[in-house]
């Protein structure tokens, strides 16, 4: 079962996601992290820290786990 990560925006970058999910402690760590670890977005390997992620995307991070992005915004808005 994937861990749910709620985001306040409609789009978040892979680098921002890594920080938001507390996989890395600062945005500056995204580039070296992505050079060392395999990240899968919707079953597709991707190492671009600028990759756009949306609610419903599934992110698997080698050695860390599987995450499902969800919108934290009220759906009535």
């Amino acid at each position: 079962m994937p861990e749910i990560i709620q985001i306040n925006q409609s789009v978040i970058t892979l680098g921002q996601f890594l920080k938001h999910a507390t996989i890395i402690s600062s945005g500056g760590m995204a580039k070296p992290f992505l050079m060392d670890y395999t990240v899968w977005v919707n079953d597709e390997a991707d190492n671009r820290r600028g990759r756009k992620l949306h609610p419903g995307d599934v992110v698997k991070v080698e050695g860390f786990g599987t995450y499902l992005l969800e919108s934290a915004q009220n759906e009535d808005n």
Side-chain angles (χ1 to χ4, degrees):
M1 194 84 177
E3 180 179 341
I4 305 295
I5 299 294
Q6 292 191 333
I7 59 173
N8 294 321
Q9 308 92 331
S10 59
V11 176
I12 189 171
T13 65
L14 181 55
Q16 291 170 324
F17 163 79
L18 293 171
K19 185 175 179 213
H20 188 72
T22 64
I23 295 170
I24 59 175
S25 59
S26 74
M29 295 175 65
K31 186 175 181 177
F33 180 89
L34 291 168
M35 291 171 70
D36 292 338
Y37 291 88
T38 301
V39 176
W40 299 83
V41 179
N42 300 326
D43 293 323
E44 180 180 307
D46 203 330
N47 67 343
R48 299 172 294 154
R49 69 178 186 258
R51 164 75 185 255
K52 305 288 190 224
L53 303 176
H54 305 273
D57 285 345
V58 175
V59 180
K60 295 178 187 174
V61 183
E62 175 186 275
F64 290 88
T66 302
Y67 306 87
L68 172 63
L69 273 69
E70 251 184 26
S71 176
Q73 297 175 346
N74 185 342
E75 300 209 5
D76 293 336
N77 291 341

